Amino acid sequence: MEWNPETLQFLSQCFLHTLSPQPEPRRAAESSLSEAADRPNYGLAVLRLVAEPSVDEQIRQAAAVNFKNHLRTRWVTSNDLNAGPTFSPILDPEKDQIKTLIVSLMLSSSPRIQSQLSEALAVIGKHDFPKSWPTLLPELISNLQKAAQSSDYASINGILGTANSIFKKFRYQYKTNDLLLDLKYCLDNFAAPLLDIFLKTASLIDSTASSPGGGSPATLQPLFESQRLCCRIFYSLNFQELPEFFEDHMKEWMGEFRKYLTTNYPSLESSSDGLALVDQLRAAVCENISLYMEKNEEEFQGYLNDFASAVWSLLTNVSQSSSRDKLAVTAMKFLTTVSTSVHHTLFASEGVIPQICQSIVIPNVRLRDEDEELFEMNYIEFIRRDMEGSDLDTRRRIACELLKGIATNYKKQVTDIVSIQIQNLLSSFATNPSANWKDKDCAIYLVVSLATKKAGGTLVSTDLVDVQSFFLSVIVPELQSQDVNGFPMLKAGALKFFTTFRGLIQKPVAFQLFPDLVRFLGAESNVVHSYAASCIEKLLLVKDEGGKARYTSADITPCVPVLMNNLFNSLKFPESEENQYIMKCILRVLAVADISSEIAGPCIAGLTSILNEVCKNPRNPIFNHYLLSLWPFLSDGHVRGMHLLYQLLKGASFPVSKPFWPMM
């Protein structure tokens, strides 16, 4: 594709039409661009369009996005037949011209176009830097030094953003000789300029913040963004091991890091955007000092006391707003790392652990409005975080991890203090259950989250409370509540406790509550009926000593008709039509119970209806797996069940490529 006025006109019109709200011109333009992308020098032509000042900004921005995506699919093409559609690769002469133009163009572009070109440059750097692009780093450094002389922070941040993107590989790749050689090259060339711009920006922040009124947010924002990017680059360059340059200049880095954790910037923090930017910088600092605490503990120990104090003070003043979650989580992770290190004596002073529990742990474990909203609006994500353990980056979980870390060396103190806190929370609930139900939820969450699992087994225990007594006095009243829809988050917490400590609950007590679990399958809350199904399913897996199942077919067969009816009805609730926890429970019940023809008939009818619906639009593969796995249990010898399944699948557009019978 030659660069001429006709090409400029063609590309401009195509990118203009891709922005059209009308589908016809948009699709036609996308098709034309897709065909043009196979022609040599297409990427170079699009890049020149981005550089053309006479073209409208919106069109150039669309072109920049297209250019970035073009490089992602064609800079390096895959020979893997399973990698998806193949594209014509960009030829080496065109690659060389793109690499010659892109840095200067990125620095001269507007912020929105600059961000797209920075990502495009990172795509190239991922494959070519440094061996096939030796001029990149010297060019970035030269432009960084020029921009620093004129305090052009639009260019500075563009360069730092690009460097941050290309240096990220040092965080994620395994340590190899080639990786270390690349790292040494980057350190030899970029470590000193990075420190220079970091200290220069720090000086500008100090002088601006100390001016009357604390400086304008417009002046401070690019400076704080620059420091955040410097901190992220610091993290990448220090991830593999402590470089000599950073060890020699640790005092300068750590002095500025501590300042950002202890200094307030009222003029910037008065707005939500400004506060978010300051918090991002502080979170980046916390990640850096956590990295040093984990990997360079000996070199870092001289700064540890000051940072521990700064982070502690910071945490006690961080609000419960979800916008500040990242800062709170990274700060607590740092304290958790310290608590499990040889410097854990920082927590040994009198009053320290109680203060951490009262000022940091309890406030962050309590339910917030955001948690209630997630519970109601996105039950799948709530369960994924709460039950399946994907909540490690949430305040609730990391606060409990902090307590666990401290308990590594101060178990008795933590146990005594948290036990008292749990009793205080339960007493608060008892005074006014309707108003203080979150206190009870907090108490249950603490007991469940701080439970420990015995090595090599499934038995969970805790020293915080007597499980039997706590279960009878705190959990059973919730499970026996006649209103299955009242205080659903509290009901979910009680069901989770029952599930977690199922092995410690005596069979007569647990079995007496079985009808209540069946009742909770009718709760309107998706989380509650999912937790009820999960609790039943997990109970049927409990084994006593010697590996004998605690609950047998004789125990559950009498209640199977009601149980199966409620399970199938719960699949009729909105958003639970393909609820994998319910289907897994159905599978478990059918595997344990004695299935008579009276039970099998309605089950087959219900499952046939579900399978027919799923075949139309399969969405949840885990649900589908359990659904297909349970048919053999519905007939003697499994033959009839498999025959029924075959007949149903024969005419269905349903993907079945591998054996799906589960390990029971």
Side-chain angles (χ1 to χ4, degrees), residues 193-223:
L194 177 67
L195 178 59
D196 290 342
I197 192 65
F198 183 70
L199 294 178
K200 173 183 172 64
T201 307
S203 177
L204 287 173
I205 289 175
D206 291 344
S207 60
T208 304
S210 61
S211 63
S216 70
T219 303
L220 286 171
Q221 282 179 356
L223 302 180

Side-chain angles (χ1 to χ4, degrees), residues 595-608:
I595 307 301
S596 64
S597 57
E598 290 77 12
I599 295 174
C603 286
I604 290 174
L607 292 170
T608 301

Side-chain angles (χ1 to χ4, degrees), residues 21 57 65 70 84 90 112 114 124 132 193 285 355 404 422 428 445 451 454 497 501 554 590 620 658:
E57 170 89 6
V65 173
H70 180 73
I90 300 174
R112 290 183 177 179
Q114 186 181 78
I124 303 172
S132 300
V285 167
Q355 188 174 350
K404 284 184 178 179
I422 289 172
S428 172
Y445 187 89
K454 289 188 176 181
F497 183 97
F501 294 102
L590 293 177
N620 185 340
K658 295 181 179 180

Side-chain angles (χ1 to χ4, degrees), residues 206 209 258-265 269 278 282:
D206 291 344
R258 184 176 181 276
K259 182 179 68 180
Y260 296 129
L261 296 179
T262 57
T263 305
N264 293 320
Y265 300 90
E269 294 179 55
V278 177
R282 289 169 177 157

Side-chain angles (χ1 to χ4, degrees), residues 209-465:
S210 61
S211 63
S216 70
T219 303
L220 286 171
Q221 282 179 356
L223 302 180
F224 272 83
E225 175 62 13
S226 176
Q227 296 301 72
R228 186 191 70 81
L229 289 169
C230 285
C231 285
R232 302 311 293 146
I233 295 171
F234 177 99
Y235 187 85
S236 297
L237 296 180
N238 283 268
F239 189 86
Q240 295 291 338
E241 56 188 33
L242 177 60
E244 183 180 351
F245 179 88
F246 285 94
E247 185 176 1
D248 293 341
H249 295 276
M250 192 180 295
K251 184 177 180 180
E252 293 100 305
W253 284 104
M254 296 303 156
E256 294 303 320
F257 285 171
R258 184 176 181 276
K259 182 179 68 180
Y260 296 129
L261 296 179
T262 57
T263 305
N264 293 320
Y265 300 90
S267 63
L268 191 56
E269 294 179 55
S270 59
S271 68
S272 58
D273 290 342
L275 178 61
L277 187 56
V278 177
D279 279 355
Q280 288 171 10
L281 173 56
R282 289 169 177 157
V285 167
C286 287
E287 289 190 310
N288 287 343
I289 60 177
S290 291
L291 178 69
Y292 266 50
M293 190 65 222
E294 292 171 5
K295 298 192 173 186
N296 311 305
E297 188 175 329
E298 182 179 348
E299 294 84 358
F300 182 67
Q301 63 180 339
Y303 305 94
L304 178 57
N305 286 352
D306 287 343
F307 275 111
S309 175
V311 170
W312 187 346
S313 176
L314 182 66
L315 274 171
T316 57
N317 293 297
V318 172
S319 69
Q320 294 298 304
S321 170
S322 60
S323 63
R324 310 197 74 184
D325 284 355
K326 176 69 173 178
L327 174 59
V329 169
T330 54
M332 281 188 275
K333 281 184 177 179
F334 171 72
L335 291 183
T336 303
T337 303
V338 175
S339 71
T340 56
S341 72
V342 296
H343 303 286
H344 59 78
T345 51
L346 290 172
F347 299 91
S349 302
E350 185 177 354
V352 170
I353 298 177
Q355 188 174 350
I356 288 176
C357 186
Q358 295 169 9
S359 303
I360 297 176
V361 175
I362 299 299
N364 285 293
V365 169
R366 285 182 61 85
L367 285 171
R368 299 177 297 163
D369 293 342
E370 293 84 354
D371 301 315
E372 295 184 68
E373 182 178 347
L374 185 67
F375 182 92
E376 295 173 0
M377 305 300 294
N378 190 347
Y379 85 96
I380 295 175
E381 180 61 23
F382 182 90
I383 295 175
R384 187 176 291 123
R385 292 184 184 184
D386 186 55
M387 182 183 285
E388 298 181 1
S390 68
D391 61 340
L392 193 57
D393 287 331
T394 64
R395 291 195 189 211
R396 297 192 95 188
R397 175 58 68 88
I398 198 61
C400 290
E401 291 300 315
L402 173 57
L403 272 184
K404 284 184 178 179
I406 299 172
T408 304
N409 297 288
Y410 306 99
K411 185 173 182 178
K412 188 178 186 308
Q413 293 95 314
V414 170
T415 300
D416 292 344
I417 292 164
V418 177
S419 296
I420 293 172
Q421 289 293 324
I422 289 172
Q423 292 305 316
N424 291 339
L425 289 165
L426 293 176
S427 298
S428 172
F429 169 78
T431 59
N432 191 340
S434 297
N436 299 334
W437 66 270
K438 290 184 181 180
D439 290 336
K440 184 173 183 177
D441 175 86
C442 184
I444 296 172
Y445 187 89
L446 283 170
V447 176
V448 173
S449 298
L450 296 177
T452 55
K453 181 181 291 187
K454 289 188 176 181
T458 59
L459 190 63
V460 176
S461 62
T462 180
D463 295 320
L464 291 174
V465 296

Side-chain angles (χ1 to χ4, degrees), residues 79-90:
N79 294 321
D80 185 356
L81 295 177
N82 297 320
T86 56
F87 301 96
S88 302
I90 300 174

